[in-house]
Amino acid sequence: MTGAVMPRGTDTVVIQEIARVDGDRVTLPAGQETGQNRRLAGEDLKKGKPALAAGRLLRPADLGLVASLGIARSACGAS
């Protein structure tokens, strides 16, 4: 999960590990589907709903979620 914005005019993400590069040519295996490996805004989190509960112990996956939301800094209290 990168949280990166897709370039205008694109609709699909193909993972790098399956692409074959030969000079200036990139070859993708058959079976790739339009729209794979992407999330539309609001698809996984609903506007106005908390992404994480207050007081939660933040684990690595939580930090990935926070980063995917474009949040680079957050105030956190110590327990």
Side-chain angles (χ1 to χ4, degrees), residues 41-59:
E43 186 176 342
D44 51 352
L45 297 171
K46 300 298 178 202
K47 187 175 183 176
K49 300 287 183 184
L52 297 168
R56 176 188 178 103
L57 175 65
L58 297 178
R59 305 216 179 264

Side-chain angles (χ1 to χ4, degrees), residues 3-69:
V5 175
M6 294 177 61
R8 183 180 304 268
T10 62
D11 61 8
T12 303
V13 176
V14 176
I15 60 172
Q16 181 178 350
E17 294 83 359
I18 66 171
R20 194 179 89 229
V21 179
D22 183 20
D24 291 338
R25 174 176 246 163
V26 176
T27 305
L28 304 175
Q32 305 310 300
E33 296 183 17
T34 300
Q36 70 185 19
N37 301 313
R38 58 119 191 219
R39 296 265 186 259
L40 299 176
E43 186 176 342
D44 51 352
L45 297 171
K46 300 298 178 202
K47 187 175 183 176
K49 300 287 183 184
L52 297 168
R56 176 188 178 103
L57 175 65
L58 297 178
R59 305 216 179 264
D62 300 325
L63 297 177
L65 171 62
V66 170
S68 76
L69 296 172

